[in-house]
Amino acid sequence: MSATTNWEDSHPRFRVYLHGSGETTTHGWTDTYDITGADVLQVIDWAQRQAGESLTYAVALVYDDRAYEQLNPGCARGLVWLVGIDGNNNAIDPEDTQAMHRMVARRREPVGVPSADQMPPGVPDPYNDGTENR
């Protein structure tokens, strides 16, 4: 442990948001999936394969703040956005607008994930009916 680090979590929980969005927007229906037992590159790989060329996706780290839970029971869970943001967010901040544009652009230019970092076979693939190789 580093002198500047006081704790670590070697079993993170990630939340993937898949947005049934328009051609140039991230707004639309949303499905969410919590993923454990994987690292962030595997989660990005899985999210991209699900999104394909028709959906947008975002990935967040799920964070449970135990101290906040003691002060406000039931309100401790939050998200740290790692890739993208909530696609149904009303982007007022220019940074949010840019993030949404990048989410749409990833349909055409997905993030490159090396084969060693891809999600292993056998993981549920709900958006792939077997007709596409994602």
Side-chain angles (χ1 to χ4, degrees), residues 45-132:
D45 175 59
W46 183 87
Q48 284 187 146
R49 285 190 286 115
Q50 303 314 302
E53 294 178 2
S54 59
L55 307 178
T56 56
Y57 71 91
V59 177
L61 175 68
V62 177
Y63 178 70
D64 292 314
D65 187 328
R66 292 184 184 127
Y68 195 79
E69 177 68 20
Q70 290 178 348
L71 298 172
N72 299 289
C75 297
R77 182 160 280 183
L79 300 175
V80 177
W81 292 109
L82 303 174
V83 178
I85 60 173
D86 180 350
N88 289 312
N89 189 8
N90 290 326
I92 297 170
D93 185 315
E95 290 178 16
D96 289 352
T97 302
Q98 291 172 0
M100 288 179 168
H101 288 303
R102 288 192 309 274
M103 290 166 66
V104 171
R106 284 188 197 105
R107 291 176 175 158
R108 295 178 312 279
E109 297 179 46
V111 175
V113 178
S115 59
D117 290 312
Q118 293 176 356
M119 190 65 84
V123 173
D125 199 10
Y127 288 88
N128 186 355
D129 64 4
T131 61
E132 294 184 39

